[in-house]
Amino acid sequence: MNKVQRVSSLRAAVQAARHDKKTIGFVPTMGNLHAGHLELVKAAQQRADFVVVSIYVNPTQFGANEDLGNYPSTPDEDARLLAELGVDVLFLPDQSTMYPGELAKQTVVYVPEIGDLYCGQNRPEHFYGVTTVVSRFFNMVQPDVAVFGKKDYQQLTIVRRMVADLAFPVQVIGVDTVRNEAGLALSSRNGYLSEAQLATGAVLRQTLLEMSDELQKEGRVESRKALTELEKKARNKLEQAGFEPHYITVCRQYDLEPAHKGDDSLVILAAAVLGKARLIDNLEVELG
Ligand code: PAF
């Protein structure tokens, strides 16, 4: 595995691969890799001949009171896992590579509406930071295929919209969430949870499954009012288990607007704070 820090070295490696007629896959990460990230890498390897993984903890997607300073970092273990999987290039840019100018004067990529919902309300700067850094990565790596986890469903939907709106020649692939035995979605932030909280964390997934069962039982969305009732019940369940829910909403898959009567391709999106961790999860539900 070739570890590179500079864009010129990254480009030289990618150009050499292109010269050999290889397609390029890209997996952006913030490091502290777990089995979920490794599935993203495997998905990239299935779809492209040459895979670049980046590790960069992007400051512009963290709010002032968030965990940028404490974000878990395991660089040696990450590099070992990626080398073991046969990743071609590990790109490790520093801040001056990703943001050469003053952060306050940085051009920002903003996906309206869809970026303002849900996590965009609780974390107002978050998606600006994600779409800005992902655009920069796409221009640096110039991948044919880029892979993102479905755990960050809103992020995936926003990146897809950005790619369509800005005509990036990149195919975006979403990969299913990897979970622990209890059903809790793997996340670097699970490291903030105690043993007891890890057990409680699984209630988030159970709640989504129960909501999905109810929707399937009805077979159709009767009204927004019925969904609001379902969301209220779910919120209460999470509160009783010790979460502080930020949102739990039944949405339309394609634009993440709240679902209404007759919608049938749905996704339930949820975010809730448990102890020091803000957990997110989701579940796609197809009716009819
Ligand atoms: O999902 C993440 O880990 C980050 O948001 C990403 C896509 C690497 C951008 O910093």
Side-chain angles (χ1 to χ4, degrees), residues 28-30 58 61 130 133 148 155:
T29 81
M30 298 208 298
N58 172 34
Q61 67 187 78
V130 171
V133 83
F148 294 81
Q155 168 173 283

Side-chain angles (χ1 to χ4, degrees), residues 192-266:
Y192 301 153
L193 299 174
S194 66
E195 281 298 315
Q197 287 167 336
L198 277 171
T200 305
V203 174
L204 186 55
R205 167 76 169 167
Q206 287 157 17
T207 308
L208 294 175
L209 288 169
E210 282 169 22
M211 291 175 84
S212 169
D213 284 350
E214 293 230 9
L215 288 164
Q216 302 279 5
K217 212 163 64 198
E218 290 299 320
R220 56 199 281 259
V221 175
E222 285 295 346
S223 62
R224 180 67 227 163
K225 192 160 168 265
L227 293 180
T228 306
E229 279 305 308
L230 190 65
E231 291 163 1
K232 209 165 121 192
K233 222 167 85 182
R235 189 173 256 276
N236 287 340
K237 181 175 165 128
L238 290 178
E239 280 169 355
Q240 273 161 25
F243 289 86
E244 182 204 320
H246 279 180
Y247 59 82
I248 182 152
T249 311
V250 184
C251 314
R252 304 193 287 228
Q253 277 178 31
Y254 78 100
D255 64 358
L256 304 190
E257 288 290 333
H260 282 85
K261 181 172 174 159
D263 288 331
D264 53 9
S265 261
L266 310 175

Side-chain angles (χ1 to χ4, degrees), residues 24-53:
I24 312 298
F26 174 51
V27 183
T29 81
M30 298 208 298
N32 189 234
L33 304 182
H34 51 66
H37 295 109
L38 303 187
E39 285 306 306
L40 306 185
V41 174
K42 289 179 201 160
Q45 288 174 324
Q46 278 162 15
R47 289 167 177 86
D49 308 313
F50 186 91
V51 170
V52 177
V53 175

Side-chain angles (χ1 to χ4, degrees), residues 110-132:
Y110 163 57
V111 176
E113 295 200 354
I114 201 165
D116 300 325
L117 301 166
Y118 317 118
C119 284
Q121 288 185 352
N122 301 114
R123 308 180 69 194
E125 305 87 354
H126 177 65
F127 289 122
Y128 293 45
V130 171
T131 41
T132 301

Side-chain angles (χ1 to χ4, degrees), residues 16 80 92 94 152 184-185 187 201 208 216 231 263 267 276 287:
R80 191 188 67 74
L92 298 160
D94 61 14
D152 297 291
L184 175 65
S187 160
L208 294 175
Q216 302 279 5
E231 291 163 1
D263 288 331
V267 57
K276 291 199 184 108
L287 300 178

